[in-house]
Amino acid sequence: MRLTVAGKTKDYEDGITVAKLIELENVETPEYVTVTVNDEFVESGDFGNTVLKDGDTVEFLYFMGGGSIAQHTDRN
Amino acid sequence: MAFTNEQLERYSRHIILKEVGAKGQKKLSQAKVLIIGAGGLGAPAALYLAAAGVGTIGIVDADEVDLSNLQRQVIHATADIGKPKVQSAKETMEAINPDITVNTYHTFVTSENVMDLIKDYDFILDGTDNFPAKFLINDACVMAKKPFSHAGIIRFKGQLMTYVPGQGPCYRCVFKNPPPKDAVPTCRQAGVIGAMGGVIGSLQAMEAVKYIVGAGDLLTGYLLTFDALKMEWHKVKLPPDTSKCAVCGNHPTITELIDYEQIECTEH
Ligand SMILES: [Zn+2]
């Protein structure tokens, strides 16, 4: 089946789950990634039982810090 | 208030744009933008907003300029090492444009002061590097109905999104809660290419300017990501349904600001 993952259309094995796709795509920090399928959020608890189908669009959204410290921190 | 001849010349490349014009430039001169964090993102954003003639610019940062900041925080110079970043930033901005007023807040943002800090400003830029601050700024802006630009940078990647009350998802719609301490890499641990702050921080300034003059479409409802190693941009459509969000949804469960435990990401 054909999926569009992070903007790129590729062929995948039929019937894979979001959890399997996360593994195949080597998603960094998979526990903290936000996933959307066809512009809807998939709860992380549902990654294993959300089966993808031909034509689905999947996005991975990652936490990204950066910039400058502007909140109190226990610095040494 | 009419522009002086000098101002007409200074802003001539703006005024000639049909999306800005004298009217838009006047809006910029009357606008107030708050930049939280005078670091990798805030530095270039502050330079462009100052140069653009944004009349009042506030800068919040508790840190002093450190040698390791200078690889990317282009508003500070070697001679500024040890100086409060807000002071160093103010001096550079006023040197670029004496027309503007720069308010400095030499403090961390906390649940105690964030509402006070944002209340007089029209648009907020989140240039912080840590998730407790990012969630705090999001929640405060949602509660105070303030538009803001969120951004993050790490290694060779960057991303940003814009929140405008009632016009799409907030940061917490996408990222429900801060990740646990040290669960995701930070700039200090992972590094960041200096020019990434310039790319993404400049886009935050762009969003602020577009919001103020009312030009084009903002990054509301989208997360724009950039991968410099592949030189690829990707604009991700965010789910438009905000009804279930814990802070901006129909039945918010977060009604007070939260000081999450600070993750370890000092820039020292
Ligand atoms: Zn929300």
Side-chain angles (χ1 to χ4, degrees):
Chain A
M1 65 176 175
R2 188 152 283 195
L3 302 176
T4 302
V5 180
K8 296 212 168 94
T9 304
K10 280 195 287 182
D11 288 318
Y12 295 86
E13 204 179 305
D14 280 351
I16 61 167
T17 62
V18 168
K20 182 68 185 171
L21 184 67
I22 284 173
E23 197 187 306
L24 290 171
E25 292 295 316
N26 293 314
V27 167
E28 205 183 335
T29 60
E31 313 91 280
Y32 305 111
V33 72
T34 294
V35 178
T36 70
V37 176
N38 304 330
D39 300 338
E40 282 186 32
F41 291 117
V42 179
E43 297 296 326
S44 55
D46 294 330
F47 287 174
N49 54 38
T50 302
V51 178
L52 296 162
K53 51 185 198 311
D54 188 53
D56 279 350
T57 296
V58 185
E59 298 286 0
F60 298 122
L61 305 166
Y62 301 95
F63 276 112
M64 233 180 252
S68 173
I69 280 280
Q71 208 206 28
H72 183 66
T73 171
D74 23 294
R75 288 183 298 164
N76 39 28
Chain B
M1 166 199 86
F3 289 115
T4 63
N5 284 341
E6 200 187 308
Q7 286 170 327
L8 286 174
E9 189 172 345
R10 177 185 287 272
Y11 304 121
S12 58
R13 303 303 191 277
H14 266 171
I15 292 170
I16 205 168
L17 292 168
K18 72 171 172 19
E19 293 83 356
V20 183
K23 209 172 139 195
Q25 191 60 48
K26 190 159 183 186
K27 284 185 189 165
L28 288 169
S29 72
Q30 290 164 345
K32 297 179 167 188
V33 175
L34 183 70
I35 301 169
I36 306 180
L41 292 162
L47 292 174
Y48 276 109
L49 292 176
V54 171
T56 306
I57 304 172
I59 307 196
V60 188
D61 201 301
D63 256 353
E64 283 74 43
V65 179
D66 184 87
L67 182 58
S68 68
N69 299 149
L70 301 181
Q71 161 258 14
R72 66 201 174 286
Q73 300 179 15
V74 291
I75 204 164
H76 314 298
T78 306
D80 297 319
I81 290 170
K83 206 185 266 184
K85 284 186 182 175
V86 290
Q87 185 56 37
S88 163
K90 180 183 164 85
E91 287 166 11
T92 310
M93 291 157 77
E94 288 176 346
I96 292 169
N97 192 346
D99 283 352
I100 63 165
T101 302
V102 180
N103 299 326
T104 60
Y105 309 93
H106 189 210
T107 177
F108 294 105
V109 286
T110 66
S111 63
E112 300 285 306
N113 66 13
V114 66
M115 291 306 251
D116 237 25
L117 286 167
I118 67 175
K119 75 171 190 303
D120 292 328
Y121 290 91
D122 306 314
F123 193 94
I124 321 296
L125 260 71
D126 168 14
T128 64
D129 71 342
N130 65 96
F131 300 107
K134 289 187 179 305
F135 279 84
L136 181 66
I137 292 164
N138 178 74
D139 294 354
C141 287
V142 169
M143 290 175 193
K145 299 190 165 56
K146 296 281 185 184
F148 82 101
S149 162
H150 155 82
I153 50 174
I154 193 153
R155 300 193 186 109
F156 285 84
K157 290 184 176 173
Q159 66 183 26
L160 76 160
M161 66 179 277
T162 302
Y163 169 78
V164 178
Q167 292 183 30
C170 77
Y171 181 65
R172 202 184 271 279
C173 287
V174 184
F175 301 103
K176 309 270 181 288
N177 284 294
K181 192 171 162 174
D182 293 332
V184 296
T186 61
C187 283
R188 188 183 57 154
Q189 296 154 341
V192 62
I193 194 77
M196 187 57 72
V199 172
I200 303 294
S202 300
L203 286 179
Q204 289 190 281
M206 186 77 81
E207 286 289 272
V209 168
K210 282 165 57 201
Y211 174 81
I212 294 161
V213 305
D217 299 316
L218 297 170
L219 263 180
T220 49
Y222 291 92
L223 183 80
L224 182 64
T225 69
F226 177 53
D227 181 335
L229 289 179
K230 295 180 181 158
M231 224 49 184
E232 281 177 354
W233 293 90
H234 182 46
K235 192 173 169 183
V236 182
K237 187 172 189 292
L238 300 171
D241 180 14
T242 62
S243 64
K244 286 181 236 136
C245 177
V247 66
C248 81
N250 294 346
H251 306 285
T253 52
I254 296 168
T255 53
E256 274 174 35
L257 296 168
I258 307 163
D259 288 307
Y260 290 102
E261 189 192 0
Q262 177 58 54
I263 60 163
E264 294 288 334
C265 183
T266 72
E267 297 218 19
H268 295 271

